[in-house]
Amino acid sequence: MALSPTTTRTTAIGLGLSANQTECDVTVEDLLQAWHDCRKRKSNSASAIAFGAHLARNIMQLHAELHDGTYAPGRSICFVVLKPKPREVWAADFRDRVVHHLLYNRVAERFVRAFSTDSCACLPGRGTLYGARRLESKIRRVTENWTVPAHYLKCDFANFFVSIDRSILRAQLAAKIHEPWWLWLADVVLFHDPRADVEVRSSPELMARVPPYKSLFNQRAGFGLPIGNLSSQFFANIYLDALDQFAQHEIRSMGYVRYVDDFILLERDPARLVAALARIEAFAQERLGLRLNPTKTILQPVDRGVDFVGHIVRPHHTRTRKRLLGNALRSLEREPDAAQRRSVANSYLGLMRQGKDFHRRAQLVKACRLLGHSHESHAERVFLK
């Protein structure tokens, strides 16, 4: 796989007004709030520490660049993660992440208000637990509390993030961002090609484990979003809102839930799901330029169990996937630091509690005790100290 960019850098200035042609209303307070939001989960990264070491100077410089229209994204970092499968992760420079949060803080609410309540992931209060509980609620309604047979259709899109057509996404952004300067900033973020200036931190052998068709390095100009940035997560939800609206207002299935690009439809008559699949395939190709992954398209009775967002919804109970315990035990074995090991254990215990996996939680707690940790529990939570 070639690690050099295959296209030249695309700029967004030509797509609309430049930043200095209209008034920028960004304040220093706006940037400080964006910095505060950005550093919540990145406070220990080298770029976050470097930015914070000269916070006033960096904030004022960023403020000036945004106001005079000279702001441009900097270098990105690319590396490979292997779980749950090999994929590239792209990390924008910290100051660019501040800009992503600035844009999100200003425009997100107008989009989120219009999103379907059946859209999950990367939205406040709508994580995996929300998705699992919403699916379970819909299954109970469709099956009349598991007394009526029903079927589910589960799909996801092939190579979703690298297949996104940024020209389609730009039109979706412009439909709700009417302020010229903020649309200009959205263009700068959207059309920045991180391949033009990137530091690859994984070995060539590790990079080669990512299939070429899943690598952003190999995509055509104008296609693909880098996995790993807040902007990409937010833009992906905007992109697939069209699918949500189509599924709910045109397909009109008895139940529908989506988490990123994984989605499920529910019907009592499986023939309706077969017809819905054909319509969704045509819509996704024509309107969004996306293809469903045929190897992950499943049509089954719901009473066999529905695997979604790490949970298995079965008649009258929901559990997390069986492999979660194995992942947890391996993570504990690999972690030498006791404080970090405690954090890892708590994270997995929290996930298992979502599925009421008492037996698996007991096994994890036992493993933690053998590693020298103590355990306490009460009605609200389970944790290690």
Side-chain angles (χ1 to χ4, degrees):
M1 180 187 68
L3 295 184
S4 58
T6 59
T7 61
T8 57
R9 179 174 176 176
T10 302
T11 62
I13 302 301
L15 297 175
L17 294 174
S18 63
N20 59 3
Q21 287 179 287
T22 187
E23 183 179 357
C24 169
D25 60 351
V26 175
T27 66
V28 171
E29 288 74 19
D30 292 333
L31 283 169
L32 286 171
Q33 181 62 54
W35 165 76
H36 177 76
D37 296 339
C38 186
R39 71 184 295 272
K40 285 180 181 178
R41 294 188 177 183
K42 295 293 179 181
S43 58
N44 293 326
S45 69
S47 58
I49 293 171
F51 190 93
H54 304 282
L55 180 62
R57 183 185 69 190
N58 289 326
I59 289 291
M60 295 308 298
Q61 181 179 350
L62 194 52
H63 183 263
E65 291 178 12
L66 290 169
H67 275 261
D68 63 22
T70 60
Y71 166 75
R75 170 170 290 192
S76 295
I77 295 170
C78 178
F79 57 94
V80 170
V81 296
L82 298 177
K83 291 187 177 181
K85 53 190 175 182
R87 65 176 181 177
E88 293 170 355
V89 176
W90 296 75
D93 187 71
F94 186 81
R95 77 192 300 266
D96 296 326
R97 288 175 176 264
V98 172
V99 173
H100 297 170
H101 279 271
L102 176 73
L103 177 65
Y104 180 86
N105 290 346
R106 178 58 65 98
V107 306
E109 185 179 358
R110 68 188 73 176
F111 287 96
V112 173
R113 279 199 306 263
F115 284 167
S116 166
T117 53
D118 295 318
S119 169
C120 321
C122 310
L123 295 170
R126 299 195 206 175
T128 56
L129 179 58
Y130 175 94
R133 286 180 173 173
R134 192 154 187 87
L135 176 62
E136 182 180 12
S137 173
K138 288 177 178 291
I139 291 176
R140 287 183 179 276
R141 178 175 58 80
V142 172
T143 63
E144 297 182 11
N145 202 24
W146 300 98
T147 62
V148 176
H151 288 73
Y152 73 94
L153 173 68
K154 181 181 178 183
C155 307
D156 79 354
F157 292 107
N159 316 317
F160 170 60
F161 274 93
V162 297
S163 300
I164 290 174
D165 186 332
R166 282 180 271 173
S167 64
I168 295 175
L169 180 52
R170 204 273 180 179
Q172 294 171 320
L173 291 168
K176 281 188 166 55
I177 304 177
H178 304 299
E179 308 94 317
W181 189 89
W182 287 98
L183 183 57
W184 170 83
L185 185 61
D187 283 343
V188 170
V189 174
L190 173 62
F191 288 98
H192 169 63
D193 188 345
R195 299 172 297 181
D197 187 8
V198 58
E199 177 187 347
V200 178
R201 290 194 176 175
S202 291
S203 67
E205 293 76 18
L206 203 56
M207 296 294 293
R209 296 185 65 174
V210 178
Y213 55 85
K214 289 183 176 292
S215 171
L216 187 62
F217 283 107
N218 299 320
Q219 303 311 311
R220 296 170 290 166
F223 285 82
L225 295 179
I227 297 175
N229 294 331
L230 169 67
S231 57
S232 297
Q233 299 168 354
F234 177 52
F235 288 162
N237 270 331
I238 294 172
Y239 201 71
L240 287 184
D241 181 59
L243 171 68
D244 299 339
Q245 304 306 323
F246 179 76
Q248 294 178 320
H249 300 296
E250 299 295 331
I251 300 295
R252 296 179 177 272
S253 66
M254 296 186 72
Y256 170 83
V257 183
R258 177 178 65 82
Y259 188 90
V260 193
D261 64 321
D262 294 333
F263 60 94
I264 286 181
L265 286 83
L266 301 169
E267 292 286 355
R268 292 174 181 168
D269 182 0
R272 287 180 55 85
L273 292 175
V274 173
L277 175 61
R279 295 183 65 189
I280 288 174
E281 283 182 313
F283 174 84
Q285 180 64 43
E286 294 169 7
R287 290 284 301 277
L288 301 174
L290 298 174
R291 295 183 302 103
L292 293 178
N293 187 338
T295 65
K296 295 185 177 180
T297 299
I298 301 170
L299 199 164
Q300 293 280 359
V302 296
D303 58 11
R304 294 185 182 179
V306 185
D307 186 345
F308 188 60
V309 295
H311 294 73
I312 311 294
V313 181
R314 297 187 182 277
H316 306 296
H317 72 276
T318 297
R319 287 188 175 179
T320 52
R321 290 174 181 158
K322 185 182 296 185
R323 68 186 183 199
L324 187 69
L325 176 62
N327 292 341
L329 296 176
R330 284 190 293 271
S331 296
L332 291 177
E333 290 173 359
R334 289 194 302 264
E335 182 54 61
D337 180 72
Q340 184 61 30
R341 192 163 58 232
R342 179 181 60 195
S343 177
V344 169
N346 280 326
S347 296
Y348 277 106
L349 286 170
L351 287 172
M352 291 177 182
R353 186 178 182 276
Q354 293 177 8
K356 300 180 180 179
D357 292 313
F358 303 110
H359 178 65
R360 293 174 193 163
R361 286 164 63 197
Q363 288 180 277
L364 179 55
V365 166
K366 180 180 179 180
C368 292
R369 284 174 174 163
L370 293 175
L371 292 170
H373 294 280
S374 60
H375 166 257
E376 293 183 7
S377 64
H378 55 77
E380 294 300 322
R381 60 178 177 160
V382 176
F383 64 96
L384 297 170
K385 68 173 186 177

